[in-house]
Every structure is written in structure tokens, then in C-alpha cells.
């Protein structure tokens, strides 16, 4: 089932009650993307997630933290235990205090959360012209149409239309609320070199990293849909049996 | 009596227990073969047991969630993410609890509207109706406080907006708000007391539900014809007839529930609640959960704050006097040609309020909200008393069996 069809059914089911709750601003709705994880049978595309992680690690992570995601979670992306261990070890994380009472740096381990690029929000703002680069762990669920929105935003940088008064240090983005975004265009063609040889166009990188962020926000998505299928089949059979039993019991009445 | 009951069961162990503690006969009288029920109940009568099921689901999932949740402003959001990511099946528990609240309200709203359509609030079931309304009020309080616990943006700002309503009360308004907050802003003391009460109130609801069922058993269920049962030919034992019918309803309801739970668990929520609470940043539109939208629309339809608050609470309180505002002696809308139509108009007005509540209060949405607010109150205060006097009801059947036999 396509996501749009599903949304339509949901909207009908709930009499469209919840839909108006999502704020409608002046910015256009992001185009609906056909994600591999859409629909009741959707799953993450491991290669896509690995590429997306690469984009996050090499581009986004310069400013954006992901404090809820640990290196061990990367096993979900198809990395082996050894790969995760090696990957974690390439990072330095803060630890301590040690027996001398001092904080120290050590190589990362699988159980560590992704280290944040800035020690706190003030430091992050100080390095980014007063703007705060958000933690991206949940961003795909914290925006309406999350992954669609992220992809649209990352590919939505344009020259400001004539007559548009752009604030100092801000960029024009078609999909950002108010169209003025402090983040400079983060992706340019061939910004990363994909290990699997995929051409790193802006579109491709935006797609991959949006999928990765959806995984980061909802890591149990596949478990959920897989269990959903089993539960649905069970419930439909059970309800069918109840219906047959109901018919049989009530038949005695007349 | 005890002898009779213990003799009723065949199993010797059951007999032994029954002779000392009459649990089995009590159950049998509550939801078993010894509870006579009108034979013509439709599927609209399934929603009471479904609401009860929702209450049980909420309590069970809630108890386990509490084992992993931390009620502190600095840790609440993180602990919810811990539940979602690290606790075994934590995602399932939390999504069940969050969507379960919506399912509970769906079941209860249908249950209430069914009562309105078939006049289930009329004599001798007024106290049954009141107890139901008290459950509804407690549910709203519980749901509101529960929504605050994840400490997201909507949690925080929803709590701020709703608690601030009490500041509209003249003279004592501000001190009341400070008292509710436990400080001078929504902060850790607020979160802690909301957590405490969110855990307490469901058990208060259980108590009222027991009274609700007790009151129900005094005169039995109303029925689609709205006439009293006249004899054994009108009644069937609750078990097995309605136990199996309720079981089938539970199956259908769980399929509906599972659809949201597994395939659209965040559809009924708001994306902003995945942003940690930030007292310095106000969300663009602060909206409550969908089940509060009609009342939110009434609140915002009135240009005056105190007036809005009074009208919002009045919208629920007026339901308590519904048994006397409705002057018709006939219960079921089936035999009330004018009321039947008014019921549907009223339902549309409620849907209109729900729509208006989700929109910013301006332009067309504000007009719809105001029109529906006026209609909502006019329905109870003007239309219902008048219709009861002027409407000529259709001829009531002599008994439940009569039309059932004909059909």
C-alpha cells in the first residue's frame, strides 16, 4: 500500500480529525518520496542506511549531535560486530573521572553514544553564528512528513526570489518555515565518496541521509511492522472464529 | 442462598471456594448466565465493554512503563527514548499506551453518543449516566496529565496553556495556578505531581467503573427500542449471548487498534512532542490531542478568557442535567422523528468543533467554531426541552419480543 493511500484511509478513519493538527504554513508541502520503509511491509535498505550514515558522519556530524544513537546500534545497518568496534574506536569520547579524579579521553567503544560535536548548546551557538544545530536523533519524527521534509529541505536551497529580504548570514530555502535558514547548504555534488561506488549527487546524499535519520528516529520500525503482520493475521483469524461462534450461539435463540 | 449458589457449580473445587467466598456466583450475576439482558441489543452496545478493555490495557501497559520512566524534567524525555530504544518491547508498550488513550476515547465517545441516541440517561438510569460522566471527566484529567509526562514541546506548552486557564477565575485565579504548578512556572514540581496523579486516577476510574456497573445492574441495559423488558421472553442471559458478542467486538476493535499501533503509531500524536520541552521556544500552534479538540474549540470561540473557560467546562457539566433537559418520556430516538434528526445535527456540530479546535482560531475555522459552540448549547438548553413537548412520538411496541418476533 502506498503511503499516500494509507494516509487517505487513516484520514477517513479518523474523520480527518488529526490532520488539521499539523500546522499548515506558507512553505509548500514536501513531495512524498517512495521510501523503502513505507507501507505495512516496508523495510530499511541497508546499503542506503550505510551511505546515509556516511553522509551524517562526514557532513552533518560536524555540527549536529545524535545523542540517542550508540555505535552498537549500527549493527542494524548491516555492519558486523568487528566493524562496529573498529568504527567506534576511530572516535575519541570523554570518560572519567579516573582514580586521580581527572576526566580523560579514550577510544570509543560500541556501547558509547555518538559523541557530540559541541560540549553544550552555548558552545554550539557560539560556533554557529548564534544558531543551534539541532540534535538529529529524532528529527525524522519531530517534523510532519519527517523523511520527506528532510530530503526536501536538503535539496531546497535556492537563490532568494527578487525582493525577498534575506537576513544576514541566512540562506533561502524553499521548504524551511519562513524560508530563512541559518544552516548553509550542507550538500554539494561529490561531497562524499561512497564506498559502494554510488554517484554522490546532492539528491542521492539527501535521500540516503534522510533514510538514515528515519532509522535513527525509529530504529524498531522493522520489528514493529513485522510484529504487526503476525498480530493482524492472528486477530483476523481469532475474530473470524468469534464471529462463527457468535452466529452459532445466537442461532439457538430463534 | 450460599447453599443454593455452591450447589449451582459442578466442579468440587469451585464448590468449595464458592461455599466460603461467593466469587463465582457474583461473577455469574455480573457478566454471566444469571444476568438477564434485553435480547435486542445492537452492536452499539459493545462499546461499554470495549472502554473497559481499554482501561485495563492502559493500566497494564502503564504499570510497566513506569518501571522504566523517570519523572524529572531533566530525564523524562531521555527515559522515554530509553524505553523506545533499549527496553525490550518498550516501543510496543509505549505505542500501545499512547494509541490506547485515543482508542479509549473513541470507545467512550461512541458509548456516550449511543446513550444519547437511545435515551439511556433517562429514568431510572440518571445516576448510571452521572457515573459515566464522572469517568469521562477523570479520563480527561488522566489523559491530559499523561500527555505531559514525556516532557516534549506539546507536553510542556499544553500543560502551560491548560493550567493557565485557571488564572481566569477572579481574585483567586493566580494563586490557584501557582498552587497547581507548585511554583511560578510549569516545572519539575508540576511534572512530579502530574505523574503522581496520572498513576492514581486510573484506579479511581476503576472504582467509579464498579459503581457504574453496579448502577447498570440495578435496572439492566437500555436497548434500541428504549422500552423496559416485560418478562423472560424479552431477556436472554448475558452469558453466553453477550459474552461472545462482546468477544467478537473486541476482535474487531483490536484490529482497528493494531492498525494504528503497528502501521501509524504517531499519526494521532503531534510531531512537536518529539522535541524536548523548551520553556523559551513556543510552538507555532499549540494544539491538544484530538479528543480534546471540541472543548478547545469552545474555549477559543469566546473572546473573553473567563467566558471561554466557563463555557468549556459548562459543555461537559451540562451533560449532568441532560436527563431533565430532555423532556420526552420516550427513550429511543427510533420513535422520536424530530429528535432523531437533531441527534445527527448535534453530532455534526461536535465534528465541526473538533475540526475548528485543530485550526488556528481565525477566519472560517473561528466562524465554524463559534457557530457549532452556539448550536452545542442550543441543542441542550433550547431544542431538547422544546422537542420533548412538541414532538409526537411514534407508537411504541408493546414489548421487545413483539417486533423481534415479527422480524
Amino acid at each position: 500500500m502506498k503511503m499516500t493511500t494509507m494516509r487517505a484511509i487513516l484520514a477517513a478513519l479518523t474523520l480527518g480529525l488529526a490532520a488539521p493538527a499539523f500546522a499548515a504554513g506558507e512553505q509548500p508541502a514536501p513531495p512524498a518520496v517512495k521510501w523503502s520503509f513505507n507501507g505495512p511491509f516496508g523495510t530499511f535498505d541497508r546499503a542506503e542506511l550505510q551511505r546515509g550514515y556516511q553522509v551524517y558522519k562526514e557532513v552533518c556530524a560536524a555540527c549536529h549531535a545524535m545523542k540517542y544513537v550508540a555505535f552498537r546500534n549500527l549493527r542494524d545497518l548491516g555492519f558486523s560486530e568487528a566493524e562496529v568496534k573498529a568504527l567506534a574506536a576511530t572516535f575519541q569520547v570523554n570518560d572519567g573521572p579516573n582514580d586521580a579524579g581527572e576526566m580523560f579521553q579514550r577510544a570509543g567503544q560500541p556501547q558509547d553514544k555518538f559523541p557530540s560535536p559541541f560540549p553544550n548548546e552555548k558552545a554550539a551557538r557560539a560556533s554557529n553564528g548564534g544558531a543551534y544545530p539541532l540534535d538529529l536523533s529524532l528529527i525524522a519524527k519531530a517534523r510532519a512528513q519527517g523523511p520527506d521534509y528532510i530530503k526536501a529541505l536538503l535539496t531546497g536551497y535556492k537563490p532568494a526570489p527578487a525582493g525577498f529580504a534575506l537576513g544576514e548570514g541566512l540562506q533561502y530555502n524553499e521548504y524551511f518555515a519562513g524560508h530563512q535558514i541559518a544552516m548553509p547548504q550542507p550538500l554539494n555534488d561529490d561531497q562524499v565518496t561512497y564506498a559502494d561506488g554510488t554517484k554522490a549527487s546532492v539528491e542521492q546524499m539527501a535521500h540516503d541521509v534522510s533514510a538514515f535519520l528515519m532509522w535513527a528516529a525509529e530504529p524498531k520500525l522493522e520489528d514493529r511492522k513485522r510484529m504487526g503482520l503476525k498480530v493482524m493475521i492472528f486477530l483476523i483469524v481469532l475474530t473470524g472464529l468469534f464471529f462463527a461462534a457468535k452466529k452459532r450461539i445466537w442461532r439457538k435463540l430463534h | 442462598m450460599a447453599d443454593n449458589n455452591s450447589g449451582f457449580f459442578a466442579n468440587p473445587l469451585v464448590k468449595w471456594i464458592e461455599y466460603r467466598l461467593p466469587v463465582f456466583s457474583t461473577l455469574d450475576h455480573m457478566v454471566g448466565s444469571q444476568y438477564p439482558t434485553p435480547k435486542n441489543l445492537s452492536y452499539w452496545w459493545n462499546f461499554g465493554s470495549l472502554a473497559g478493555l481499554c482501561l485495563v490495557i492502559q493500566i497494564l501497559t502503564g504499570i510497566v512503563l513506569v518501571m522504566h520512566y523517570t519523572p524529572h524534567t531533566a530525564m523524562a524525555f531521555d527515559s522515554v527514548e530509553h524505553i523506545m530504544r533499549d527496553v525490550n518491547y518498550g516501543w510496543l508498550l509505549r505505542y500501545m499506551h499512547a494509541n490506547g488513550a485515543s482508542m479509549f476515547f473513541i470507545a467512550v465517545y461512541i458509548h456516550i453518543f449511543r446513550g444519547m441516541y437511545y435515551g439511556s440517561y433517562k429514568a431510572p438510569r440518571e445516576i448510571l449516566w452521572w457515573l459515566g460522566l464522572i469517568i469521562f471527566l477523570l479520563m480527561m484529567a488522566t489523559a491530559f496529565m499523561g500527555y505531559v509526562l514525556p516532557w516534549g514541546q506539546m507536553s510542556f506548552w499544553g500543560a502551560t496553556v491548560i493550567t493557565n486557564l485557571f488564572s481566569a477565575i477572579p481574585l483567586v485565579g493566580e494563586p490557584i495556578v501557582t498552587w497547581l504548578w507548585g511554583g511560578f512556572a510549569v516545572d519539575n514540581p508540576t511534572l512530579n505531581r502530574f505523574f503522581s496523579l496520572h498513576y492514581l486516577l486510573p484506579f479511581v476510574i476503576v472504582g467509579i467503573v464498579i459503581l457504574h456497573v453496579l448502577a447498570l445492574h440495578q435496572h439492566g441495559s437500555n436497548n434500541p427500542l428504549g422500552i423496559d423488558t416485560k418478562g423472560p421472553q424479552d431477556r436472554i442471559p448475558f452469558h453466553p449471548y453477550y459474552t461472545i458478542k462482546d468477544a467478537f467486538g473486541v476482535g474487531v476493535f483490536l484490529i482497528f487498534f493494531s492498525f494504528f499501533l503497528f502501521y501509524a503509531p504517531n499519526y494521532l500524536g503531534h510531531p512537536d512532542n518529539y522535541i524536548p520541552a523548551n520553556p523559551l521556544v513556543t510552538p507555532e500552534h499549540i494544539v491538544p490531542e484530538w479528543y480534546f479538540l471540541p472543548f478547545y474549540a469552545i474555549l477559543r470561540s469566546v473572546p473573553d478568557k473567563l467566558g471561554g473557560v466557563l463555557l468549556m467546562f459548562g459543555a461537559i457539566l451540562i451533560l449532568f442535567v441532560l436527563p431533565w433537559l430532555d423532556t420526552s418520556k420516550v427513550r429511543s430516538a427510533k420513535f422520536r422523528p424530530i429528535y432523531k434528526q437533531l441527534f445527527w445535527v448535534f453530532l455534526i456540530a461536535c465534528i465541526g468543533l473538533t475540526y475548528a479546535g485543530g485550526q488556528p482560531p481565525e477566519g472560517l475555522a473561528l466562524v465554524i467554531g463559534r457557530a457549532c459552540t452556539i448550536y452545542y448549547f442550543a441543542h441542550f438548553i433550547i431544542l431538547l426541552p422544546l422537542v420533548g413537548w412538541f414532538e409526537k412520538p411514534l407508537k411504541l411496541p408493546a414489548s421487545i419480543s413483539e417486533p423481534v418476533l415479527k422480524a
Side-chain angles (χ1 to χ4, degrees):
Chain A
M1 204 177 352
K2 280 192 338 206
M3 201 57 200
T4 42
T5 338
M6 194 155 117
R7 288 195 77 85
I9 291 169
L10 282 172
L13 280 175
T14 54
L15 301 165
L17 301 183
F22 300 114
E26 43 165 338
Q27 64 280 3
V33 180
K34 280 193 175 181
W35 301 103
S36 67
F37 48 80
N38 281 354
F41 305 104
T43 52
F44 289 117
D45 177 336
R46 295 296 183 282
E48 192 173 283
L49 293 188
Q50 292 195 11
R51 290 196 301 271
Y53 171 60
Q54 190 183 345
V55 174
Y56 167 74
K57 188 173 69 158
E58 293 177 15
V59 184
C60 318
C63 303
H64 291 279
M66 283 183 88
K67 64 175 179 173
Y68 293 119
V69 185
F71 291 111
R72 65 182 160 84
N73 298 130
L74 293 172
R75 293 289 305 277
D76 290 2
L77 270 55
F79 291 114
S80 71
E81 201 173 334
E83 282 173 320
V84 168
K85 218 168 180 168
L87 195 91
T90 62
F91 289 83
Q92 288 292 306
V93 297
N94 291 317
D95 202 346
N98 61 14
D99 290 346
E102 281 154 7
M103 304 302 284
F104 59 93
Q105 291 241 311
R106 61 161 172 80
Q109 289 171 354
Q111 74 271 20
D112 291 321
K113 298 278 163 70
F114 287 4
S116 300
F118 301 104
N120 52 58
E121 183 178 334
K122 287 248 162 75
R125 284 188 191 276
S127 305
N128 288 282
Y132 178 50
L134 297 167
D135 186 287
L136 295 182
S137 310
L138 280 165
I139 200 76
K141 286 201 291 192
R143 297 289 182 276
Q145 276 185 272
D148 293 345
Y149 170 76
I150 297 164
K151 184 175 177 182
L153 184 87
L154 291 174
T155 54
Y157 283 87
K158 281 187 179 157
F164 188 92
L166 204 57
E168 204 192 317
L170 299 175
Q171 282 66 234
Y172 186 85
N173 190 303
E174 201 181 346
Y175 294 98
F176 193 70
H179 297 303
Q180 301 195 71
I181 185 166
M183 174 170 72
Q185 179 172 340
L187 299 174
N188 295 292
D189 284 337
D190 297 315
Q191 183 138 0
V192 301
T193 310
Y194 279 135
D196 63 4
T198 306
K199 170 98 180 71
S201 63
V202 169
E203 160 89 15
Q204 180 72 44
M205 288 183 290
H207 186 91
D208 292 343
V209 81
S210 301
F212 169 73
L213 291 174
M214 185 63 207
W215 165 80
E218 186 78 353
K220 310 290 181 175
L221 180 143
E222 290 182 347
D223 290 348
R224 169 160 59 78
K225 292 185 176 180
R226 217 179 301 126
M227 183 189 283
L229 182 65
K230 290 180 202 160
V231 170
M232 280 293 187
I233 291 171
F234 172 81
L235 282 177
I236 288 167
V237 172
L238 181 75
T239 306
L241 290 174
F242 279 149
F243 184 68
K246 193 255 163 192
K247 282 276 160 212
R248 204 185 157 105
I249 289 169
W250 279 70
R251 201 184 296 142
K252 292 180 225 156
L253 266 188
H254 303 296
Chain B
M1 184 74 185
D3 281 339
N4 287 346
N5 282 336
S6 58
F8 183 77
F9 300 98
N11 185 304
L13 179 63
V14 170
K15 252 186 156 108
W16 188 89
I17 295 172
E18 177 66 27
Y19 187 68
R20 287 151 182 85
L21 179 74
V23 275
F24 299 101
S25 58
T26 304
L27 266 182
D28 209 31
H29 280 98
M30 291 302 261
V31 288
S33 60
Q34 299 303 304
Y35 176 43
T37 318
K39 63 197 290 184
N40 59 334
L41 300 187
S42 66
Y43 277 108
W44 295 113
W45 263 260
N46 277 56
F47 289 91
S49 69
L50 291 176
L53 173 75
C54 289
L55 178 60
V56 172
I57 292 175
Q58 291 307 90
I59 289 178
L60 292 181
T61 52
I63 286 171
V64 184
L65 285 170
V66 165
M67 297 177 189
H68 304 279
Y69 168 79
T70 312
H72 188 282
T73 52
M75 290 177 273
F77 193 90
D78 287 357
S79 72
V80 171
E81 275 313 302
H82 164 66
I83 290 169
M84 291 298 285
R85 290 161 192 272
D86 299 326
V87 173
N88 290 332
Y89 298 103
W91 60 270
L92 179 66
L93 286 166
R94 174 166 173 262
Y95 278 154
M96 275 174 87
H97 199 74
N99 285 281
S102 284
M103 296 303 134
F104 200 174
F105 275 96
I106 288 172
V108 161
Y109 278 132
I110 295 175
H111 191 61
I112 293 173
F113 278 111
R114 189 271 288 150
M116 287 182 172
Y117 187 85
Y118 293 108
S120 301
Y121 48 81
K122 293 187 190 184
R125 295 186 181 84
E126 299 94 326
I127 294 183
L128 173 61
W129 174 251
W130 287 348
L131 290 166
L133 291 175
I134 291 168
I135 293 169
F136 179 49
L137 282 170
L138 287 170
M139 268 177 74
M140 293 176 91
T142 309
F144 162 67
M145 289 189 280
Y147 194 61
V148 176
L149 302 186
W151 210 243
Q153 272 290 67
M154 277 300 161
S155 298
F156 179 86
W157 289 98
T160 302
V161 168
I162 301 300
T163 49
N164 251 321
L165 294 179
F166 292 91
S167 71
I169 302 169
L171 299 173
V172 291
E174 292 293 342
I176 285 180
V177 173
T178 309
W179 177 72
L180 286 174
W181 286 343
F184 298 101
V186 173
D187 207 333
N188 202 47
T190 326
L191 176 61
N192 272 291
R193 62 191 53 194
F194 278 18
F195 176 61
S196 167
L197 294 173
H198 183 73
Y199 206 112
L200 169 70
L201 290 187
F203 298 99
V204 178
I205 294 177
V206 169
I208 310 287
V209 165
I210 291 171
L211 292 180
H212 190 66
V213 172
L214 195 65
L216 170 71
H217 280 249
Q218 184 70 358
H219 292 281
S221 293
N222 182 32
N223 64 79
L225 295 175
I227 55 174
D228 293 328
T229 52
K230 299 274 156 56
Q233 73 280 5
D234 290 347
R235 296 189 281 255
I236 49 177
F238 189 86
H239 180 75
Y241 297 105
Y242 288 111
T243 38
I244 189 63
K245 197 171 179 177
D246 278 350
F248 172 58
V250 165
V252 174
F253 188 72
L254 287 182
I255 290 172
F256 177 77
F257 188 166
S258 297
F259 182 76
F260 284 93
L261 173 57
F262 293 109
Y263 301 119
N266 293 307
Y267 182 77
L268 296 167
H270 197 291
D272 277 21
N273 229 27
Y274 280 110
I275 304 170
N278 185 347
L280 301 177
V281 180
T282 316
E284 198 185 349
H285 300 295
I286 302 173
V287 283
E289 292 277 84
W290 68 267
Y291 36 81
F292 290 138
L293 291 177
F295 303 102
Y296 198 52
I298 292 174
L299 170 75
R300 298 193 301 180
S301 290
V302 188
D304 174 64
K305 188 175 175 184
L306 179 61
V309 172
L310 289 176
L311 228 53
M312 182 178 74
F313 285 111
I316 302 166
L317 295 181
I318 200 168
L319 295 172
F320 280 89
V321 286
L322 174 58
W324 296 275
L325 290 173
D326 183 348
T327 50
S328 172
K329 292 278 172 275
V330 176
R331 291 197 192 107
S332 176
K334 222 171 182 157
F335 305 105
R336 301 187 57 191
I338 300 172
Y339 174 71
K340 192 190 216 166
Q341 291 172 32
L342 289 180
F343 170 86
W344 293 109
V345 180
F346 176 72
L347 184 65
I348 291 166
C350 290
I351 292 169
L353 284 173
T354 310
Y355 165 78
Q359 303 295 323
E362 57 199 25
L364 184 64
L366 186 61
V367 175
I368 291 175
R370 286 184 172 160
C372 292
T373 299
I374 292 169
Y375 189 84
Y376 183 97
F377 286 98
H379 174 83
F380 291 112
I381 297 171
I382 301 169
L383 297 175
L384 282 188
L386 289 180
V387 168
W389 286 320
F390 293 115
E391 181 184 48
K392 205 172 145 35
L394 306 180
K395 191 176 173 302
L396 293 175
S399 76
I400 290 174
S401 307
E402 191 186 62
V404 168
L405 286 177
K406 268 188 205 161

